[in-house]
């Protein structure tokens, strides 16, 4: 028989949950917006298409198993299920937490319209008591999974644990859960969303963004293809190719992409997430923050040297989620949208690059390029930033616009012609047909129009340098909604 504790506010509910944990009465908690909801795994909830959900889970498992750097997770099926469940892919897992504050947040947090007078609940679980439940021998017994997924900051921030329960009516038939019930909403809770869902991303969370971007793109493509098939206007080709007719022969992959050489760029750290005060990297923007738009070379070099000095002087900075302190005498003392956008972009850049085997000079240059892009950026009516060809030439010199794809999702960026050519394999001319050879010799960067498979075209380390110092700064500043390609190991193709 379940026990229900009725209280008058969310503050009282949270206080009671903390009391229960201190007393050892319950050790796991789960917040639910509606007190009428049963505890049911997401895979078995009403309205879930079981076949589609299982196919989605299969795609996720396949992506994990084929993505460089995720080998540790791919070798642990429980870890794959835990990550899938934590990111909203239906499984037999049920999310719980050991922290009542997190449970209270999820009892409150919703985008749904909640009718006045509705009741929410905090489900309370004594895991030792649950494990004593008796089931027939042919029925799998639910179990409690406490798992550490390396570098998964969201799971750490939420003190997440999982009840593995492959039943839809477990509460009604076997084990009813105790609950604290209280009116939904109201005042009293001071739980910041960024504390439960950290806005800074770890390396594995950056990688996961690619899978979900690929899912969104897959859905759009499937919808379009379905419309085209029913229209009967034209046929859809079965598959594409990485080479155009300008390429005359099969190209051999480059040795610089050998697994043992690229592994350091793919390996994910096990960086613990915590709420300790973060160090700050200070950057004087000088006169770059004001029009006329002219990224003075001396000011740009001064930024490189300033950032490099701090990185060299404080080596431990690269192991932290450092913040950015941006100052400039001409800047207004009150809030500025453009400064906020630059600070956010630099945080993304830092979190994505600092753990890669780049040297401090490359990191400092990346920061400077991002600031130079920002100097020339225009704010669009919707609030996003944009940059034109003239301004991009001012930052990079003669450049190419490129589309990056692979490891899930795609993004647009740009790269200087000089860096693209420097990264290109030296014998590329041998693979160009005679008709296009003169065009290639005049401007080898035209290769992005003819061939796209990166491990056959570009030296790995040279591509990594171009990516870090030019392409990433553009992505984090101008393409904030796209997955960012920080490491060459995540890239399959570069085209235009």
């Amino acid at each position: 028989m379940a026990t229900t504790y009725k209280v008058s506010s969310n503050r009282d509910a949270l206080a009671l949950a903390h009391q229960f944990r201190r007393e050892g009465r319950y050790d796991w908690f789960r917040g639910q917006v509606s007190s009428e909801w049963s505890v049911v795994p997401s895979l078995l909830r009403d309205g879930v298409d079981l076949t589609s959900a299982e196919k989605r889970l299969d795609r996720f498992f396949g992506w994990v198993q084929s993505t460089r750097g995720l080998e540790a997770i791919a070798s642990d099926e429980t870890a794959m299920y835990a990550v899938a469940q934590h990111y909203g892919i239906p499984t037999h897992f049920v999310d719980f937490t050991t922290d009542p504050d997190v449970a209270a947040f999820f009892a409150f947090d919703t985008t749904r319209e909640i009718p006045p007078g509705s009741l929410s609940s905090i489900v309370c679980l004594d895991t030792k008591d649950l494990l004593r439940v008796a089931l027939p021998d042919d029925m799998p017994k639910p179990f409690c999974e406490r798992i550490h997924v390396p570098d998964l900051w969201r799971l750490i921030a939420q003190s997440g644990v999982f009840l593995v329960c492959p039943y839809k009516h477990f509460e009604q038939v076997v084990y009813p859960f105790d609950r604290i019930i209280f009116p939904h909403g109201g005042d009293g809770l001071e739980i910041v969303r960024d504390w439960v869902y950290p806005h800074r991303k770890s390396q594995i969370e950056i990688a996961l963004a690619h899978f979900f971007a690929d899912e969104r793109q897959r859905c759009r493509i499937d919808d379009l293809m379905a419309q085209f098939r029913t229209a009967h206007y034209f046929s859809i080709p079965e598959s594409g190719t990485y080479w155009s007719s300008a390429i005359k022969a099969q190209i051999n992959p480059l040795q610089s992409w050998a697994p043992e050489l690229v592994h350091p760029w793919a390996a994910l750290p096990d960086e613990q997430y915590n709420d300790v005060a973060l160090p700050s990297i200070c950057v004087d923007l000088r006169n770059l923050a004001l029009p006329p738009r002219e990224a003075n070379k001396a000011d740009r070099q001064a930024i490189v040297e300033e950032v490099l000095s701090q990185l060299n002087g404080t080596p431990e900075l690269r192991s932290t989620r450092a913040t950015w302190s941006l100052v400039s005498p001409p800047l207004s003392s009150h809030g500025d949208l453009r400064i906020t956008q630059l600070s956010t972009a630099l945080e993304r850049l830092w979190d994505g690059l600092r753990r890669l085997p780049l040297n401090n000079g490359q990191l400092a240059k990346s920061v400077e390029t991002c600031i130079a892009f920002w100097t020339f950026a225009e704010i669009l009516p919707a609030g996003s930033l944009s940059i034109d060809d003239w301004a991009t030439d001012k930052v990079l010199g003669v450049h190419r616009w490129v589309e990056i794809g692979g490891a899930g999702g795609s993004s647009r960026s740009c790269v200087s012609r000089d860096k693209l050519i420097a990264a290109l394999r030296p014998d590329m001319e041998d693979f160009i047909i005679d008709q296009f050879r003169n065009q290639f010799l005049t401007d080898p960067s035209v290769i992005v129009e003819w061939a796209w498979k990166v491990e056959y075209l570009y030296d790995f380390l040279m591509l990594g340098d171009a990516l870090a110092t030019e392409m990433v700064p553009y992505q984090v500043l101008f393409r904030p909604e796209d997955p960012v390609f920080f490491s060459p190991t995540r890239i399959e193709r570069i085209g235009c």
Side-chain angles (χ1 to χ4, degrees), residues 156-228:
I156 298 170
Q158 295 175 17
S159 300
V161 287
F162 303 97
L163 172 64
V164 183
C165 181
Y167 301 109
K168 185 172 184 176
H169 302 291
F170 186 68
E171 275 203 88
Q172 291 80 0
V173 178
V174 180
Y175 189 91
F177 292 94
D178 296 346
R179 284 172 169 76
I180 303 171
I181 294 179
F182 53 95
H184 177 78
D187 299 324
L189 290 181
E190 299 178 357
I191 303 172
V192 179
R193 185 175 180 82
D194 281 351
W195 176 67
V196 178
Y197 289 106
H199 77 278
R200 303 287 289 269
K201 304 300 181 187
S202 68
Q203 292 295 310
I204 189 176
E205 290 165 340
I206 290 169
L208 286 165
H210 287 265
F211 173 78
F212 292 105
D214 185 61
E215 273 210 324
R216 292 190 294 272
Q217 184 171 305
R218 180 193 299 272
C219 289
R220 290 194 292 267
I221 291 173
D222 287 347
D223 288 344
L224 284 172
M225 292 182 74
Q227 295 176 35
F228 292 153

Side-chain angles (χ1 to χ4, degrees), residues 7-55:
V7 296
S8 59
S9 70
N10 52 26
R11 180 186 289 272
D12 291 342
L14 179 57
L16 186 58
H18 274 289
Q19 176 185 329
F20 287 158
R21 187 175 69 167
R22 287 194 304 270
E23 295 172 349
R25 191 179 307 184
Y26 305 101
D27 53 344
W28 283 18
F29 305 89
R30 172 179 169 81
Q32 299 196 154
V33 170
S34 173
S35 63
E36 298 180 359
W37 294 347
S38 298
V39 175
V40 179
S42 52
L43 188 63
L44 302 180
R45 291 175 188 166
D46 292 338
V48 173
D49 183 323
L50 191 60
T51 301
S52 297
E54 289 177 342
K55 286 181 179 178

Side-chain angles (χ1 to χ4, degrees), residues 49-301:
D49 183 323
L50 191 60
T51 301
S52 297
E54 289 177 342
K55 286 181 179 178
R56 187 184 181 200
L57 192 60
D58 287 343
R59 284 198 302 270
F60 177 72
F61 277 29
W63 176 82
V64 171
Q65 292 163 346
S66 63
T67 299
R68 293 188 183 107
L70 301 185
E71 292 82 3
I73 298 174
S75 65
D76 184 344
E77 187 177 74
T78 300
M80 287 196 288
Y81 274 112
V83 175
Q85 173 61 30
H86 199 65
Y87 274 81
I89 298 176
T91 73
H92 284 129
F93 285 30
V94 181
D95 297 285
F96 274 80
T97 177
T98 59
D99 188 342
D101 287 313
V102 174
F105 171 83
F106 284 109
F108 179 86
D109 183 62
T110 182
T111 57
R112 301 181 184 184
E113 189 70 29
I114 303 299
S118 296
L119 298 177
S120 298
S121 67
I122 295 177
V123 177
C124 303
L125 173 61
D126 176 359
T127 56
K128 292 180 180 177
D129 183 64
L130 174 67
L131 295 179
R132 290 192 290 265
V133 68
L135 287 175
D137 292 340
D138 60 344
M139 293 181 65
K141 188 172 183 178
F143 60 94
C144 300
E145 189 65 63
R146 300 170 176 86
I147 184 170
H148 171 68
V149 179
D151 212 40
L152 191 58
W153 290 352
R154 274 178 38 169
L155 186 61
I156 298 170
Q158 295 175 17
S159 300
V161 287
F162 303 97
L163 172 64
V164 183
C165 181
Y167 301 109
K168 185 172 184 176
H169 302 291
F170 186 68
E171 275 203 88
Q172 291 80 0
V173 178
V174 180
Y175 189 91
F177 292 94
D178 296 346
R179 284 172 169 76
I180 303 171
I181 294 179
F182 53 95
H184 177 78
D187 299 324
L189 290 181
E190 299 178 357
I191 303 172
V192 179
R193 185 175 180 82
D194 281 351
W195 176 67
V196 178
Y197 289 106
H199 77 278
R200 303 287 289 269
K201 304 300 181 187
S202 68
Q203 292 295 310
I204 189 176
E205 290 165 340
I206 290 169
L208 286 165
H210 287 265
F211 173 78
F212 292 105
D214 185 61
E215 273 210 324
R216 292 190 294 272
Q217 184 171 305
R218 180 193 299 272
C219 289
R220 290 194 292 267
I221 291 173
D222 287 347
D223 288 344
L224 284 172
M225 292 182 74
Q227 295 176 35
F228 292 153
R229 286 194 178 97
T230 57
H232 302 295
Y233 293 142
F234 53 84
S235 62
I236 301 169
E238 291 299 320
S239 63
T241 176
Y242 289 112
W243 319 115
S244 74
S245 58
I247 308 301
K248 67 178 182 181
Q250 178 63 45
I251 305 176
N252 57 300
L254 293 166
Q255 180 57 34
S256 65
W257 288 80
E260 64 273 15
L261 299 178
V262 306
H263 177 73
W265 292 73
L268 298 179
D270 187 5
E271 184 175 340
Q272 294 296 304
Y273 179 83
N274 55 56
D275 293 324
V276 300
L278 298 174
S280 181
I281 302 173
C282 300
V283 182
D284 185 348
L285 300 177
R286 295 166 174 80
N287 292 316
L288 298 182
L290 284 182
R293 299 189 303 161
E294 189 63 44
N296 180 279
K297 287 184 178 180
D299 286 340
R300 290 180 62 175
Q301 183 57 34

Side-chain angles (χ1 to χ4, degrees), residues 261-421:
L261 299 178
V262 306
H263 177 73
W265 292 73
L268 298 179
D270 187 5
E271 184 175 340
Q272 294 296 304
Y273 179 83
N274 55 56
D275 293 324
V276 300
L278 298 174
S280 181
I281 302 173
C282 300
V283 182
D284 185 348
L285 300 177
R286 295 166 174 80
N287 292 316
L288 298 182
L290 284 182
R293 299 189 303 161
E294 189 63 44
N296 180 279
K297 287 184 178 180
D299 286 340
R300 290 180 62 175
Q301 183 57 34
I303 287 174
V304 172
E305 293 171 359
E306 182 179 17
V307 174
L308 184 58
S309 174
Q310 293 172 79
L311 297 183
N312 288 339
T314 314
E316 60 270 21
L317 272 176
R318 291 187 61 166
S319 64
T320 69
R321 307 184 320 277
T323 59
W324 291 86
S325 175
L326 305 175
V327 297
S328 177
L331 284 178
S332 169
S333 58
H334 52 270
D336 186 299
L337 174 61
R338 292 179 73 247
I339 286 291
T340 300
Q341 289 169 316
L342 175 58
S343 179
T344 300
L346 289 175
E347 285 182 353
R348 291 187 78 193
L349 180 149
W350 179 252
D351 289 339
L353 295 179
R354 63 185 172 85
R355 301 305 294 263
L356 297 178
L358 298 161
N359 61 49
N360 286 344
Q362 290 170 307
L363 276 179
K365 180 60 179 175
S366 181
V367 171
E368 178 269 314
T369 304
C370 190
I371 293 171
F373 274 135
W374 171 83
T375 299
F376 290 97
E378 298 281 0
I379 298 183
L380 300 177
S384 59
L385 297 178
S386 178
I387 192 168
D388 58 25
D389 275 310
W390 173 86
T392 305
D393 272 346
K394 287 288 186 179
V395 178
L396 300 181
V398 180
H399 65 281
R400 282 273 185 177
W401 295 103
V402 293
E403 294 286 337
I404 310 169
S410 62
S411 184
R412 182 170 171 80
S413 191
C414 55
V415 61
S416 65
R417 186 172 65 185
D418 289 346
K419 287 232 174 190
L420 185 68
I421 294 172

